[in-house]
Amino acid sequence: MNPAKTTIIENVACTMCGCVCDDLKLTIADGRVVSVSPGCSLAEPWLLGQSSSDEPSCRIGEQPVPFDQAVEHAAGLLMKSTAPLIYGLSGSSTPGQRSAVHLADTIGACIDTTASTCHAPSIVALQKVGESTCSLGEIKNRSDLVIYWGSNPAKSHPRHMERFVDAPGQHVPKGRAGRHVVVVDVKPSESSELADTFIQVDPGGDFDVLWALRSLVRGLPLDAAFVSGVSRQTLVDLANRMKRSRYGATFFGLGLTRHGIPHLNVEALLRLVTDLNQHTRFVVRRMRIPGDVAGADSVLCWQTGYPFSVSLNRTYPRYNPGEFTANNMLERHEVDAAILVGTEGVEKLSEAARAWLREIPSVILDHAGIGSFVSGTVHFTTAVYGIHRPGTAYRMDETPIPLRRVLDSALPADHEVLDAIIRRVKSMQKIPS
Ligand code: SF4
């Protein structure tokens, strides 16, 4: 790639939210992204901040060191550890996530993703009661009713409505005009202003409202005049609208997991959608966070059988949220070395967990500047998948989207660092790689 030349690259995928839009057009000049189209309030600042990088950047403490020396030091730390933890992965991509599981298997580590601090209750709920699923394309082509529950997509997923609700679909040729949009949340938002119906629920009232809707959908009487701030008539109207729809789609966000017993709130929604399938076709999907957290779930599932909070310290995978969750293990001081594959999730850890993270040796792989909450014994500045390296990201509907390289970089990608550490650890263990 000649950095002096202006290049236009089309159909680039963005990983700044779970939509993973793959229709972006980037203009590249002087080794930088200089324009992004179509516009998006999250994607533009991130993409315009990306550039090529000529020099690998590794440190032991504050001391810059060559790549091989950093790998040697990281492998030595891990060989001394009896309870290592690998955490993060949502800013990575399939190759990096796969290598992280391989490393966990090699050193007998626990491995956990940032899902454990966000949609973990949703995963536990859908493991219990299942989910009525579909692709986003199916929703665009078929839905005449779209409900956002505990989510503000206009802010968190800026093009979600544009691409899957406003756009015409095969069986919804009028697009937005052919769909009814409902927002259910604890307070008005940018998205509720765009909705046809806004239903405000008291904080902590989601479970009661969802259970009342289940009763109505099943034809049972509802005696209460109000349920968690929502009038009976509003609930009756929504239940009837859901039953009458030709194809209904529900998207839920972290708002549903912030109050009460999070996994029971999600379970109530999943069960409501199951009930609705007695009357019409209805589906439910999670609004996933930035990066490739859906890919981390998928890679861990296909490699270990479980989506997060997995221990490989007995050579076979064990799954137990809480027992093998990064935050809890760090709080209980059950970890003596950590490998952070991306630091995006560290801010969501509790202060006690972060305090222990600062005490133990750590190997940090990160493409952004790391915050003051963790310094790292060994630090690798890494290339970005979808910018400097190809890869795969999973959209919120678990559709894998290819990521392309759009800028050159001498920085190593996550899988290149992890594979080098694995080779060195195996040579120290005298295991053929
Ligand atoms: S909606 Fe999300 S994935 Fe799409 S361009 Fe914006 S930030 Fe990127």
Side-chain angles (χ1 to χ4, degrees):
M1 215 177 281
N2 178 358
K5 189 172 130 200
T6 296
T7 312
I8 293 177
I9 307 179
E10 299 195 352
N11 301 322
V12 175
C14 165
T15 55
M16 274 308 281
C17 81
C19 294
V20 193
C21 301
D22 54 354
D23 60 350
L24 301 190
K25 185 159 94 176
L26 305 188
T27 308
I28 312 288
D30 295 328
R32 304 194 70 86
V33 178
V34 295
S35 80
V36 181
S37 150
C40 167
S41 57
L42 286 181
E44 274 185 74
W46 180 66
L47 287 164
L48 294 175
Q50 302 300 330
S51 60
S52 294
S53 173
D54 296 333
E55 294 291 327
S57 168
C58 309
R59 293 196 316 268
I60 297 176
E62 294 304 314
Q63 183 69 35
V65 293
F67 179 76
D68 289 347
Q69 190 178 334
V71 168
E72 180 73 22
H73 200 81
L77 287 180
L78 298 177
M79 285 297 288
K80 283 191 211 131
S81 166
T82 55
L85 167 74
I86 299 177
Y87 177 64
L89 305 175
S90 62
S92 193
S93 172
T94 300
Q97 292 150 353
R98 194 161 38 198
S99 295
V101 177
H102 187 183
L103 178 59
D105 199 19
T106 306
I107 60 175
C110 285
I111 183 163
D112 194 21
T113 77
T114 56
S116 67
T117 54
C118 59
H119 264 298
S122 316
I123 297 173
V124 169
L126 66 88
Q127 285 172 331
K128 192 170 165 200
V129 298
E131 74 181 327
S132 305
T133 177
C134 66
S135 71
L136 292 176
E138 195 178 328
I139 291 171
K140 174 189 156 189
N141 282 319
R142 296 185 181 278
S143 67
D144 57 345
L145 172 63
V146 175
I147 301 171
Y148 291 101
W149 200 300
S151 173
N152 180 10
K155 199 163 175 200
S156 60
H157 300 71
R159 295 183 60 213
H160 192 273
M161 284 186 167
E162 169 206 315
R163 295 187 62 210
F164 307 113
V165 177
D166 299 348
Q170 192 177 359
H171 302 284
V172 196
K174 292 186 189 154
R176 177 68 178 83
R179 304 182 219 265
H180 191 91
V181 176
V182 179
V183 169
V184 184
D185 215 333
V186 294
K187 59 181 183 187
S189 66
E190 293 85 345
S191 302
S192 67
E193 284 173 20
L194 302 171
D196 300 298
T197 303
F198 172 52
I199 298 174
Q200 186 160 351
V201 179
D202 289 343
D206 297 290
F207 181 88
D208 291 345
V209 169
L210 287 162
W211 224 253
L213 284 168
R214 286 194 72 199
S215 301
L216 292 167
V217 166
R218 288 173 166 228
L220 299 171
L222 181 65
D223 296 332
F226 283 87
V227 177
S228 298
V230 185
S231 73
R232 178 170 53 215
Q233 192 55 50
T234 303
L235 291 171
V236 168
D237 290 347
L238 180 58
N240 288 337
R241 187 181 288 284
M242 289 193 286
K243 283 174 21 182
R244 277 201 318 267
S245 68
R246 207 175 55 240
Y247 185 112
T250 312
F251 293 102
F252 70 97
L254 295 175
L256 193 56
T257 62
R258 274 201 199 110
H259 305 281
I261 303 177
H263 70 276
L264 292 184
N265 294 341
V266 178
E267 182 181 326
L269 177 60
L270 298 177
R271 286 189 187 277
L272 170 65
V273 170
T274 301
D275 293 345
L276 283 161
N277 276 281
Q278 297 288 326
H279 301 274
T280 184
R281 173 75 174 132
F282 228 94
V283 294
V284 57
R285 304 276 15 186
R286 283 168 286 167
M287 298 292 278
R288 304 305 302 260
I289 59 163
D292 187 27
V293 69
D297 293 355
S298 299
V299 172
L300 256 72
C301 272
W302 95 55
Q303 301 252 307
T304 71
Y306 306 110
F308 66 102
S309 299
V310 180
S311 170
L312 289 156
N313 68 1
R314 286 191 191 162
T315 69
Y316 56 87
R318 290 181 297 152
Y319 169 61
N320 197 1
E323 185 180 4
F324 303 131
T325 297
N327 191 70
N328 305 42
M329 293 185 78
L330 288 164
E331 281 183 350
R332 294 190 300 255
H333 298 190
E334 291 173 356
V335 174
D336 64 2
I339 304 166
L340 303 181
V341 184
T343 55
E344 300 83 3
V346 175
E347 270 178 300
K348 296 227 177 101
L349 298 176
S350 68
E351 185 43 51
R354 279 186 272 157
W356 186 242
L357 199 50
R358 283 191 287 268
E359 293 290 317
I360 59 176
S362 55
V363 179
I364 297 180
L365 282 64
D366 202 51
H367 50 263
I370 54 174
S372 56
F373 39 78
V374 57
S375 53
T377 314
V378 186
H379 180 243
F380 295 88
T381 302
T382 48
V384 182
Y385 291 102
I387 301 290
H388 307 120
R389 290 289 190 285
T392 305
Y394 282 66
R395 214 164 59 178
M396 64 171 68
D397 59 352
E398 276 103 30
T399 299
I401 306 287
L403 303 179
R404 303 170 60 185
R405 179 178 69 89
V406 296
L407 292 172
D408 292 327
S409 175
L411 295 173
D414 291 342
H415 69 282
E416 292 158 1
V417 175
L418 295 169
D419 290 349
I421 295 174
I422 292 167
R423 281 193 296 276
R424 190 64 193 106
V425 165
K426 284 190 172 180
S427 73
M428 290 174 173
Q429 294 172 330
K430 305 200 182 333
I431 297 172
S433 19

